[in-house]
Amino acid sequence: MKMNQMKNVMEQIDWGLFLKQKEWLYSQQCHLERWYGAEAGVLPEGILNLMDCLQNVWEEKEISIASQLCEEQDDMENSYWYEEVWTDEDLVIALENAGVDVTEENVEKLKQECLNIFNDKSERNEMLTNRARSIFDT
C-alpha cells in the first residue's frame, strides 16, 4: 500500500471507536484464555497485534490529535462500569450446592454448558429499569 493510500485509510478511521473495539477484543481474549487456555486467545491476539501496529502508525503520524484521543479513551474507559468475572471456584461451589460430585470432568462440563447463559441480558436490563423506577419514583 502506498503512503498516500495508507494516510487516507488512517484518516478515515474513527479512532475513538477503534480503541473501544480494541478494548472489547482484549476483554474477549482474556475470557477465552481463562476458559479455554492460552491457545484459544491466539486469533484475538493476532488481531490485537495488527490493531497495535495501526495505532502506532497513527500516533506517529498524527501527534497533534493524540491528546484528544487520550481524553476520548479516558471517557470510554469510564463507560464500562461493570464486568462479571466467573472462576472455576464458582463452578465448584455450584456443583457442591447442587449435590454433584466435584471432579475436573464435571467442572469442565458445567463450564461448557454455562458459557452462553449470560448472553441474554434482558433480565438484567429489566432489573436495572426496575431499580431506576424505584430510585426515581417513576
Side-chain angles (χ1 to χ4, degrees):
M1 183 179 277
K2 295 179 181 176
M3 195 56 153
N4 275 348
Q5 290 173 319
M6 180 65 140
K7 184 177 180 186
N8 288 339
V9 168
M10 301 302 271
E11 289 172 352
Q12 297 300 316
I13 294 175
D14 177 345
W15 289 98
L17 180 60
F18 178 89
L19 291 174
K20 189 174 184 178
Q21 291 170 336
K22 185 178 162 189
E23 183 66 32
W24 176 85
L25 183 59
Y26 177 75
S27 71
Q28 296 306 301
Q29 177 193 14
C30 292
H31 289 292
L32 284 171
E33 288 179 350
R34 183 179 312 125
W35 288 99
Y36 297 108
E39 296 93 8
V42 171
L43 180 61
E45 183 178 15
I47 296 170
L48 283 167
N49 289 339
L50 173 63
M51 293 176 91
D52 284 340
C53 291
L54 285 171
Q55 185 179 352
N56 290 339
V57 167
W58 175 74
E59 288 173 347
E60 290 174 15
K61 298 299 269 174
E62 302 289 338
I63 301 297
S64 63
I65 304 173
S67 62
Q68 178 185 353
L69 176 65
C70 289
E71 291 172 9
E72 290 174 5
Q73 187 175 10
D74 287 344
D75 290 343
M76 285 185 297
E77 288 172 4
N78 289 328
S79 68
Y80 295 103
W81 61 273
Y82 181 77
E83 180 180 356
E84 291 184 40
V85 178
W86 296 88
T87 65
D88 286 353
E89 184 179 337
D90 297 316
L91 298 172
V92 168
I93 292 169
L95 289 170
E96 288 173 348
N97 289 341
V100 177
D101 289 338
V102 177
T103 64
E104 190 172 319
E105 184 178 283
N106 287 347
V107 169
E108 282 303 311
K109 183 176 182 177
L110 181 59
K111 184 186 297 185
Q112 294 304 313
E113 293 296 322
C114 290
L115 284 177
N116 296 314
I117 66 172
F118 301 109
N119 288 353
D120 180 5
K121 295 181 175 75
S122 57
E123 193 172 311
R124 287 185 276 176
N125 291 340
E126 186 177 333
M127 289 170 57
L128 290 172
T129 301
N130 290 339
R131 182 58 56 102
R133 283 186 183 119
S134 71
I135 291 171
F136 298 104
D137 296 321
T138 60

